[in-house]
């Protein structure tokens, strides 16, 4: 895992893009639509030269959800491209005709559990927080007996504001999608959660039907909230607010998920915004819209804390791209010996003692019994952020987990 670089100041930068509302990106001339999950040629539904209508499926992978055309247009070519969050993925180059809408979409049946889950699969909905298909999460929640389903608008990392922006703009649609998801997985209760009470109050005033649950602003807020709810006897599931809104849109009018909201921020961005972006839009166009000239020193996508480096700015936006951070300079990596301060222990939401685990790994014969709870690490990187010595502790925890399983 590539962590958000140490040595970068992480003050909250969410307010500036939230003031502007969600901006619409100018229509791109070309879209590299990722065909995620397509491992064989037979799972691709289009070939170069094909004309596709807006919303038409472009792929039919067995282990993922279909990709849909963000606009009507012609497929120019299909090429494998390296994406920061997914690795190497086949992508279809679509030359869109934004003026042509195509046939009207029909809403699906939505009365029974399986019909809602099937709708989530057909719509190609991806949870923006973890990149997992929504229909798979709903099935897993049903197997686990989830009794409390939460719409996740927890923007607890310092740059990202995309979830709160969607919740502010579409509270009723988020609530409708959450209610449908709760029916599908059999959850008795559903609520909306965000990091701050201020945001919860704002959403509740806009949509009184939405029952709020503040998560707190300490990172990682979702993991800490889940731990507190588990202690009270709740089996909890989280679904991103964009996924909830996409499910509501598909159930209402048959529109598949073909766009996402991305926070563009960082010290190289003159005008940080939350942008509504068609999937397949090159990252470079998002930066240009926000006033970035030339190539920044470093760019990261995903969460601002556990994000991954984006060396190629021609890489396309995917449905789980929540954030694009541009920095003026490549950060320096400085690591010092562990001082045993215990800051990592206080930061960890899973009861791991990272400095003790690192001490064991440095020994000639590490004792796996002293690597307590490392198998439960969620890779939130809270320990790495808290470490004053700049040690990449989350990488060490993942290594220790593999060691305990006998992988080394």
């Amino acid at each position: 895992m590539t962590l958000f670089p140490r040595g970068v100041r992480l003050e909250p930068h969410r307010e500036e893009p939230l003031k502007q509302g969600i901006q619409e990106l100018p229509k791109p001339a070309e879209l590299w639509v990722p065909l995620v999950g397509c491992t064989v040629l037979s799972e691709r539904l289009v070939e170069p030269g094909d004309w596709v209508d807006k919303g038409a499926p472009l792929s039919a992978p067995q282990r993922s959800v279909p990709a849909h055309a963000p606009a009507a247009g012609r497929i120019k070519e299909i090429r494998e491209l390296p994406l920061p969050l997914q690795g190497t993925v086949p992508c279809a180059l679509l030359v869109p005709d934004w003026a042509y809408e195509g046939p009207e979409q029909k809403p699906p049946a939505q009365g029974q559990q399986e019909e809602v889950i099937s709708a989530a699969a057909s719509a190609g909905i991806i949870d923006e927080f973890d990149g997992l298909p929504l229909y798979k999460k709903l099935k897993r929640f049903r197997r686990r007996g989830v009794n409390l389903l939460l719409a996740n608008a927890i923007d607890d990392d310092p740059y990202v504001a995309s979830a709160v922006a969607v919740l502010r703009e579409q509270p009723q649609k988020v609530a409708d999608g959450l209610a449908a998801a709760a029916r599908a997985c059999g959850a008795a209760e559903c609520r909306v959660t965000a990091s701050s009470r201020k945001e919860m109050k704002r959403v509740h005033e806009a949509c009184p039907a939405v029952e709020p649950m503040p998560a707190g602003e300490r990172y990682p807020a979702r993991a800490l909230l889940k731990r507190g709810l588990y202690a009270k006897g709740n089996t909890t599931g989280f679904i991103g607010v964009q996924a909830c809104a996409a499910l509501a849109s598909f159930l209402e009018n048959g529109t598949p998920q073909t766009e996402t909201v991305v926070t563009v921020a960082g010290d190289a961005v003159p005008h940080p915004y939350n942008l509504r972006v068609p999937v397949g839009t090159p990252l470079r166009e998002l930066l240009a819209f926000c006033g970035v000239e030339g190539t920044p020193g470093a760019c990261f996508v995903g969460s601002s804390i556990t994000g991954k480096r984006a060396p190629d700015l021609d890489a396309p936006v995917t449905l789980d791209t929540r954030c694009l951070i541009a920095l003026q300079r490549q950060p320096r990596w400085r690591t010092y010996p562990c001082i045993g301060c215990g800051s990592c222990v206080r930061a960890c939401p899973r009861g791991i003692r990272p400095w003790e685990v690192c001490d064991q790994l440095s020994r000639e014969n590490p004792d796996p019994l002293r690597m307590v709870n490392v198998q439960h690490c969620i890779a939130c990187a809270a320990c790495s952020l808290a470490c004053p010595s700049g040690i990449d502790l989350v990488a060490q925890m993942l290594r220790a987990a593999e060691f305990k399983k006998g992988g080394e």
Side-chain angles (χ1 to χ4, degrees):
M1 173 175 289
T2 303
L3 296 175
F4 189 76
R6 300 183 297 271
V8 177
R9 295 179 62 85
L10 293 176
E11 310 96 329
H13 297 274
R14 298 188 289 267
E15 287 302 317
E16 189 60 31
L18 285 174
K19 292 177 183 177
Q20 314 296 328
I22 299 177
Q23 305 293 308
E24 296 287 344
L25 193 74
K27 304 302 185 184
E30 292 183 339
L31 297 169
W32 281 100
V33 183
L35 308 180
V36 178
C38 287
T39 57
V40 294
L41 291 175
S42 61
E43 294 177 338
R44 304 177 189 177
L45 302 182
V46 292
E47 296 292 340
D50 289 351
W51 172 271
V52 295
D53 289 325
K54 181 178 180 180
L58 306 180
S59 63
Q62 290 187 358
R63 299 183 180 275
S64 187
V65 291
H68 296 268
R74 194 168 299 281
I75 303 297
K76 188 174 182 180
E77 65 173 301
I78 298 178
R79 184 193 310 171
E80 290 195 348
L81 298 177
L83 307 185
L85 299 178
Q86 285 86 9
T88 302
V89 173
C91 299
L93 177 56
L94 175 65
V95 181
D97 181 353
W98 294 103
Y100 180 76
E101 288 294 330
E104 183 178 352
Q105 303 291 332
K106 295 182 179 180
Q110 50 181 296
Q112 304 298 323
Q113 284 185 336
E114 290 299 333
E115 290 175 338
V116 175
I117 293 176
S118 177
S122 299
I125 299 175
I126 296 292
D127 191 309
E128 69 272 17
F129 279 87
D130 53 26
L132 296 176
L134 178 59
Y135 85 95
K136 287 189 176 182
K137 296 187 68 170
L138 294 176
K139 286 184 175 181
R140 187 173 75 236
F141 292 161
R142 188 171 60 182
R143 288 195 304 269
R144 287 176 48 212
V146 165
N147 68 307
L148 175 60
L149 190 65
L150 296 174
N152 186 5
I154 302 176
D155 285 333
D156 58 349
D157 39 15
Y159 284 104
V160 186
S162 53
V164 169
V166 171
L167 190 58
R168 283 187 181 186
E169 183 183 86
Q170 301 177 314
Q172 188 59 60
K173 187 162 285 190
V174 170
D176 293 344
L178 177 63
R183 292 198 307 271
C185 66
E189 184 181 3
C190 57
R191 301 175 70 175
V192 177
T193 182
S195 299
S196 70
R197 295 183 180 275
K198 175 183 175 182
E199 292 300 334
M200 289 286 83
K201 182 179 179 181
R202 183 194 299 269
V203 171
H204 191 58
E205 291 174 349
C207 182
V210 175
E211 186 68 26
M213 177 178 286
E217 298 189 24
R218 177 189 166 193
Y219 181 83
R222 189 190 70 85
L224 294 170
L225 175 61
K226 186 174 182 179
R227 185 176 68 180
L229 292 171
Y230 178 79
K232 296 178 181 179
N234 290 291
T235 304
T236 309
F238 289 82
I239 296 176
V241 289
Q242 292 201 53
C244 290
L247 179 60
S249 294
F250 188 72
L251 294 176
E252 179 183 347
N253 52 38
T255 303
Q257 188 182 27
T258 58
E259 61 184 19
T260 188
V261 175
V262 182
T263 302
V264 183
D267 60 16
V269 180
H271 308 291
Y273 291 123
N274 287 302
L275 301 178
R276 180 170 283 106
V277 183
V279 64
T281 304
L283 298 175
R284 191 181 304 279
E285 297 201 18
L286 279 66
L287 295 174
F289 181 84
C290 295
V292 178
E293 298 181 358
T295 302
C299 287
F300 295 82
V301 298
S303 163
S304 65
I305 294 175
T306 58
K308 295 190 177 181
R309 182 77 182 272
D312 183 6
L313 295 182
D314 291 322
V317 167
T318 56
L319 290 175
D320 56 344
T321 305
R322 296 178 53 228
C323 183
L324 173 60
I325 299 174
L327 304 177
Q328 292 179 356
R329 297 177 180 84
Q330 172 67 36
R332 294 182 179 180
W333 294 70
R334 296 176 180 174
T335 301
Y336 303 95
C338 175
I339 60 175
C341 65
S343 297
C344 55
V345 179
R346 293 187 291 273
C348 180
R350 303 307 296 268
I352 304 172
R353 302 179 66 84
W355 73 271
E356 290 188 359
V357 175
C358 287
D359 178 64
Q360 285 297 317
L361 289 175
S362 67
R363 298 171 183 262
E364 184 176 352
N365 296 307
D367 183 359
L369 296 179
R370 301 184 68 88
M371 302 178 186
V372 181
N373 288 337
V374 291
Q375 67 274 17
H376 300 309
C377 176
I378 58 174
C380 66
C383 56
S384 296
L385 289 174
C387 180
S389 297
I391 301 172
D392 189 355
L393 291 172
V394 69
Q396 297 283 57
M397 298 309 102
L398 297 177
R399 177 187 165 202
E402 287 296 318
F403 179 85
K404 287 191 72 171
K405 289 194 301 183
E408 294 185 0

